[in-house]
């Protein structure tokens, strides 16, 4: 699927009351509960980044556990919906951007990126996005990743999914824990993984041509 077609599809889906059943589906509720547990493994978070907010279902759970939360999404409609849903909190910053070009000078203690990277065009773009995320991760910071599995993502027309991306993250970060979430349908099968950075302040990241 081309990137502009993907953005148009996401925008149409975000017009629904509960896009992707993030509130009403037991599988999605369990996935978010596990993501939050992994995110809070080191306790309260001073500075966090959420990549891809959809309609704000997970943002609403993460926000009370952060001093500062930056949320970046490529879809303006997603930012608009999530910001309304979480309007009681004033410590959230909203950014419309793709993850390959987003940057912040101050590192993040926690980065959460779930059900996002498989929307990129190919494995090379996924690798570039991962490199950008790792550059923004604080020493000893945590990155929580989640995705449908490779086979499911390829069935949906994407280049790769969880297993491929976890392998790329493991080239630089240390995997701390992995969780499988399984629902009733064939599409409800995802892997979550929590990674820790080393105590170095910068990371070499392999490029792939």
């Amino acid at each position: 699927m081309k990137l502009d077609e993907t953005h148009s599809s996401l925008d149409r889906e975000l017009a629904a009351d509960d896009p992707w059943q993030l509130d009403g589906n037991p599988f999605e509720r369990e996935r978010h509960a596990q993501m939050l547990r992994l995110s809070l493994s080191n306790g309260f978070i001073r500075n966090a980044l959420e990549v891809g907010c959809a309609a704000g279902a997970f943002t609403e759970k993460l926000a009370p556990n952060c001093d500062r939360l930056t949320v970046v999404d490529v879809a303006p409609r997603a930012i608009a919906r999530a910001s309304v849903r979480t309007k009681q909190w004033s410590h959230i910053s909203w950014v419309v951007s793709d993850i390959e070009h987003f940057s912040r000078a101050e590192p993040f203690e926690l980065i959460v990126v779930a059900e996002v990277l498989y929307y990129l065009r190919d494995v090379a773009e996924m690798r570039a996005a991962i490199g950008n995320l790792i550059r923004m991760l604080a020493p000893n910071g945590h990155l929580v990743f989640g995705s449908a599995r490779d086979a499911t993502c390829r069935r949906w027309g994407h280049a790769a999914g969880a297993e491929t991306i976890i392998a790329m993250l493991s080239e630089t970060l240390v995997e701390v824990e992995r969780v499988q979430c399984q629902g009733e349908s064939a599409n409800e099968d995802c892997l979550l993984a929590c990674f820790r950075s080393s105590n170095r302040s910068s990371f070499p990241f392999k490029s792939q041509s």
Side-chain angles (χ1 to χ4, degrees), residues 40-155:
L40 301 181
S41 58
N42 272 358
F44 195 80
I45 306 144
R46 187 175 61 86
N47 191 22
L49 170 67
E50 181 188 10
V51 180
C53 60
F58 184 71
T59 313
E60 186 176 44
K61 296 175 175 65
L62 183 60
N65 299 286
C66 307
D67 271 337
R68 283 177 291 155
L69 174 60
T70 300
V71 180
V72 58
D73 199 294
V74 73
R77 189 192 288 264
I79 294 290
R81 288 196 60 168
S83 63
V84 169
R85 181 169 181 155
T86 59
K87 62 184 178 181
Q88 68 265 44
W89 292 294
S90 60
H91 64 291
I92 306 175
S93 300
W94 305 94
V95 182
V96 177
S97 174
D98 66 76
I99 194 52
E100 292 172 274
H101 298 99
F102 172 78
S103 66
R104 282 291 184 272
E106 184 179 2
F108 295 99
E109 295 174 359
L110 171 71
I111 295 176
V112 180
V113 52
E115 307 298 328
V116 170
L117 295 180
Y118 56 68
Y119 284 113
L120 298 175
R121 269 184 288 245
D122 52 36
V123 172
E125 287 198 357
M126 294 175 187
R127 183 174 288 276
I130 289 169
N132 189 38
L133 290 173
I134 290 173
R135 282 189 289 273
M136 292 187 287
L137 189 61
N140 295 314
H142 284 75
L143 185 148
V144 174
F145 166 75
S147 173
R149 292 172 175 269
D150 277 347
T152 302
C153 288
R154 287 170 181 148
R155 191 173 69 249

Side-chain angles (χ1 to χ4, degrees), residues 153-167:
C153 288
R154 287 170 181 148
R155 191 173 69 249
W156 293 343
H158 303 302
E163 293 92 335
T164 295
I165 296 169
I166 286 173

